[in-house]
Amino acid sequence: MKGTTYISELKNNVSKPVTIAGWLYNSRSSGKLLFLIIRDGTGMCQCIVEKGKVGDELFGKLEHLGQESSLTISGVVRADERSVGGYELAATDAKIISPSSDYPITPKEHGTDFLMSHRHLHLRSQRPWCIGKIRHTVVDAVRRFFNDNGFILTDAPILMSMAGEDQQSLFEVDYFGRPMYLTQTGQLHIESTAMSFGKVYCFGPTFRAEKSKTRRHLTEFWMVEPEVAFIDLPGLLELAENFVSYIAKRVLEDNTKELQTLGANIDAIKKIVPPFYRLTYTEAVNILTSDKTRKFLDEQLAQFNEQKNNIEKRIAELEEQQKGKIKEWQKEKNAAELIDLRSEFAEVTTKIENNPKHARLAAEFRWGKDLGGSDETIISQMHDKPVFVTHYPKDAKAFYMKTDRSNPKVVENFDLLAPEGFGEIIGGSVREDDYNMLLQRITEDGLKPENYQWYIDLRKYGSVPHGGFGLGIERTIAWLTGERHIRQCIPFPRMMDTVYI
RNA sequence: UCCCCGAUAGCUCAAUUGGCAGAGCGGGCGGCUGUUAACCGCCAGGUCGUAGGUUCGAGCCCUACUCGGGGAGCCA
């Protein structure tokens, strides 16, 4: 709006009169003094309205203004440590643009279901706002990294004609009477553009109809996939670690405040620098079945049990207090703590239940299976930096992955596991570039070569060693921000059973 | 698809284990010139997810269903 100043610019306008335009985030009053917290998309600002400094009628209106009313406020900027953001506005005038009443999202806690079904409003709240800013940085860093390193953006189609590897996990759409599928990956298509430009990437939404109901899954998510001609596995790993480190660096640079607000582990993000740990699948299996892992899990279980006992003790203590005669405010504080404790209790109980299952799965792990979610979690928990796991068994992996010529039982692929138990954020591989071997893998997997004719064709006309990987944007954001569920990391999440709005 | 948990005021949750349905926040009114999820006083607000059953009596016990959460498999 003409003549208005963004809250992010207040620091450059100290002692000057400005007008800000925004929404009322929260208001408090103390007699003849009002504290209005205004948000405008760039930040928050506390406006102080003194009775006498503005007209009585306006003061009365502002005093009863509902949360999320839109308005402009004019006043003089001053620095004050007591204010959010460090600056505040001594109001001299205000204009209410559109009053709001009974805003559903109050300054108290709400449940996920309620917030998600009010997602159109929830996005105005502080946590989604911080995550949204970080998502913007991550996406910008993704594009910046590839654009600055000689990659060409080549978009893959969203509607695919090929059924791909796993028809069950595809969304089918009716395309003028014949079936088509929403893309699961752009990889096959950009292998062909890589043969034109050398280094390419695609970045867009991806759709998976997997029946996965976990905190790490969305049915619609964003994935960036680079594909490079003339690259080998060590080259791919180097590319991936530089890429992920760059994203982490940019988020640290641009979003320290947001990370702090979210309570993210900033020291852990600072550790995300090359080189990352490198394990082969075989080494990972040896670790999983080792005494070291058994001890690690035992210790973890002991820790969980101790946590559980402490929580139980505290709950009993508080419940005892609640029965006795105590001050009203203490009672309320206790009640709030009890709610937190009970949810922590439920969480640690689940961990205790899962620990022996995971321990058994790890101990009984036999070479040849794909690593399960819990196995990845264990490996990831044992490291403080991202870990590459490479060279998985051929039988557990997709047909397009290149067979390791020095060990035909494995393929030249890798997963990148984020540390501290977060798990997989990247999957990638060198692609099979030999015409006959690719054909053989396709038939071995029970697929029809005629469905992949153009893809096989790429191996006919100047085939070269090449490869790439896919990085999940929401998983990356969840990992960096410490958000436990990736549905918070996309504005409008689509999950297996639930599409809120 | 399988296993576990839950559903009480607009929201977040209590209800001494079967005996009169409560608190905070939010809303309304009033008080307070430096509040930080402000505080203090008063007021309004309920078909206890749905259907059935047990019982003198059910928010609580039993059965089925609906919806939601967490986890497993699979994956980014």
Side-chain angles (χ1 to χ4, degrees):
Chain A
M1 216 188 283
K2 209 182 167 190
T4 59
T5 304
Y6 284 116
I7 289 169
S8 57
E9 288 302 311
L10 292 184
K11 57 179 185 290
N12 301 322
N13 287 279
V14 176
S15 301
K16 289 181 195 162
V18 300
T19 299
I20 61 172
W23 296 264
L24 182 63
Y25 191 72
N26 196 6
S27 80
R28 291 180 282 269
S29 72
S30 177
K32 307 289 175 281
L33 197 56
L34 293 182
F35 301 91
L36 305 179
I37 311 284
I38 307 293
R39 43 162 280 269
D40 75 344
T42 72
M44 295 220 232
C45 173
Q46 176 164 273
C47 301
I48 285 72
V49 188
E50 286 182 51
K51 202 164 191 174
K53 296 271 174 75
V54 302
D56 281 0
E57 194 191 338
L58 180 60
F59 188 90
K61 271 188 191 167
L62 291 174
E63 194 175 13
H64 293 103
L65 199 58
Q67 211 186 329
E68 287 302 313
S69 297
S70 54
L71 71 164
T72 63
I73 298 195
S74 307
V76 176
V77 182
R78 63 188 179 207
D80 193 315
E81 282 186 3
R82 293 169 293 186
S83 260
V84 277
Y87 299 90
E88 62 182 27
L89 205 62
T92 52
D93 194 16
K95 285 194 178 63
I96 294 160
I97 298 169
S98 177
S100 156
S101 57
D102 299 322
Y103 187 69
I105 301 174
T106 65
K108 278 275 169 171
E109 262 182 42
H110 299 277
T112 308
D113 189 45
F114 177 80
L115 289 175
M116 277 299 174
S117 51
H118 293 80
R119 187 67 170 166
H120 55 302
L121 303 174
H122 183 215
L123 292 170
R124 304 179 185 193
S125 299
Q126 201 165 30
R127 270 192 96 81
W129 184 83
C130 287
I131 293 171
K133 296 269 283 186
I134 291 170
R135 183 183 173 104
H136 173 80
T137 304
V138 168
V139 169
D140 187 57
V142 162
R143 294 190 183 282
R144 192 81 277 136
F145 179 86
F146 289 124
N147 292 346
D148 287 352
N149 283 284
F151 283 74
I152 302 295
L153 175 72
T154 60
D155 293 315
I158 286 174
L159 291 166
M160 311 276 277
S161 55
M162 292 190 299
E165 326 147 40
D166 181 12
Q167 198 154 359
Q168 281 195 326
S169 64
L170 286 163
F171 285 105
E172 191 177 312
V173 295
D174 177 66
Y175 191 77
F176 303 111
R178 71 180 168 111
M180 292 268 277
Y181 306 92
L182 296 180
T183 182
Q184 258 189 329
T185 166
Q187 180 211 319
L188 303 189
H189 287 87
I190 65 168
E191 279 187 49
S192 79
T193 62
M195 299 305 133
S196 170
F197 298 100
K199 297 202 279 188
V200 300
Y201 71 103
C202 65
F203 185 21
T206 296
F207 306 88
R208 307 245 168 124
E210 289 158 4
K211 302 221 164 162
S212 306
K213 230 178 103 177
T214 80
R215 64 180 71 166
R216 295 196 314 279
H217 285 86
L218 296 168
T219 54
E220 176 183 317
F221 65 98
W222 284 64
M223 180 160 73
V224 57
E225 297 172 274
E227 189 72 28
V228 182
F230 301 106
I231 199 166
D232 54 13
L233 189 59
L236 271 179
L237 300 189
E238 210 175 302
L239 176 67
E241 70 191 351
N242 286 333
F243 174 53
V244 170
S245 302
Y246 176 74
I247 295 173
K249 181 174 150 253
R250 279 289 309 280
V251 170
L252 274 178
E253 281 170 6
D254 296 6
N255 301 107
T256 309
K257 257 190 201 165
E258 286 78 19
L259 289 170
Q260 280 165 350
T261 303
L262 294 169
N265 187 343
I266 291 176
D267 288 338
I269 303 175
K270 285 183 181 157
K271 282 189 191 160
I272 308 169
V273 287
F276 295 169
Y277 298 107
R278 284 161 166 75
L279 292 175
T280 64
Y281 166 89
T282 305
E283 285 165 343
V285 172
N286 289 339
I287 291 174
L288 282 173
T289 53
S290 69
D291 278 357
K292 190 183 157 197
T293 296
R294 195 179 47 77
K295 274 182 198 152
F296 177 82
L297 288 172
D298 283 351
E299 276 165 29
Q300 211 175 46
L301 183 61
Q303 270 177 31
F304 291 155
N305 276 316
E306 199 186 322
Q307 276 175 32
K308 189 180 172 180
N309 286 338
N310 289 340
I311 294 170
E312 266 178 329
K313 245 191 263 171
R314 182 71 186 145
I315 286 178
E317 199 179 302
L318 287 174
E319 278 177 342
E320 197 52 42
Q321 274 185 33
Q322 295 297 71
K323 282 179 197 164
K325 277 186 183 171
I326 55 169
K327 296 249 168 62
E328 198 59 36
W329 64 266
Q330 183 67 52
K331 210 167 195 170
E332 283 160 28
K333 216 175 134 192
N334 286 354
E337 193 182 338
L338 273 170
I339 289 164
D340 284 346
L341 285 172
R342 284 186 182 127
S343 95
E344 272 176 49
F345 183 81
E347 204 165 317
V348 79
T349 305
T350 308
K351 283 183 187 166
I352 289 169
E353 276 171 23
N354 284 336
N355 178 286
K357 290 182 209 163
H358 293 173
R360 191 165 41 81
L361 282 172
E364 291 172 2
F365 199 94
R366 289 294 166 266
W367 199 98
K369 277 200 305 178
D370 203 353
L371 291 179
S374 66
D375 307 312
E376 285 183 347
T377 306
I378 293 166
I379 298 285
S380 140
Q381 277 169 341
M382 295 167 98
H383 293 83
D384 60 350
K385 266 216 256 196
V387 198
F388 288 115
V389 183
T390 64
H391 300 92
Y392 281 59
K394 183 160 71 178
D395 294 342
K397 287 293 166 183
F399 69 86
Y400 52 75
M401 295 184 178
K402 182 170 181 169
T403 304
D404 187 341
R405 303 301 192 251
S406 64
N407 178 8
K409 281 185 172 173
V410 301
V411 287
E412 293 192 44
N413 80 313
F414 73 97
D415 279 354
L416 180 62
L417 310 182
E420 319 285 356
F422 188 85
E424 184 175 354
I425 55 168
I426 286 183
S429 72
V430 177
R431 320 303 184 189
E432 183 55 68
D433 50 56
D434 181 85
Y435 184 94
N436 290 319
M437 289 189 80
L438 180 62
L439 203 58
Q440 191 190 333
R441 286 301 312 278
I442 288 175
T443 34
E444 270 172 12
D445 274 16
L447 300 167
K448 292 176 186 157
E450 55 266 35
N451 288 342
Y452 298 89
Q453 207 47 63
W454 67 261
Y455 183 72
I456 301 166
D457 230 24
L458 298 174
R459 277 72 181 165
K460 220 165 114 184
Y461 305 107
S463 190
V464 300
H466 67 287
F469 57 83
L471 172 119
I473 292 296
E474 290 78 13
R475 283 191 181 178
T476 304
I477 297 165
W479 165 46
L480 294 174
T481 57
E483 192 60 46
R484 59 191 294 281
H485 204 304
I486 68 168
R487 70 183 156 208
Q488 310 294 349
C489 300
I490 186 167
F492 300 98
R494 270 81 184 95
M495 272 101 62
M496 177 191 144
D497 282 335
T498 323
V499 174
Y500 290 99
I501 66 170

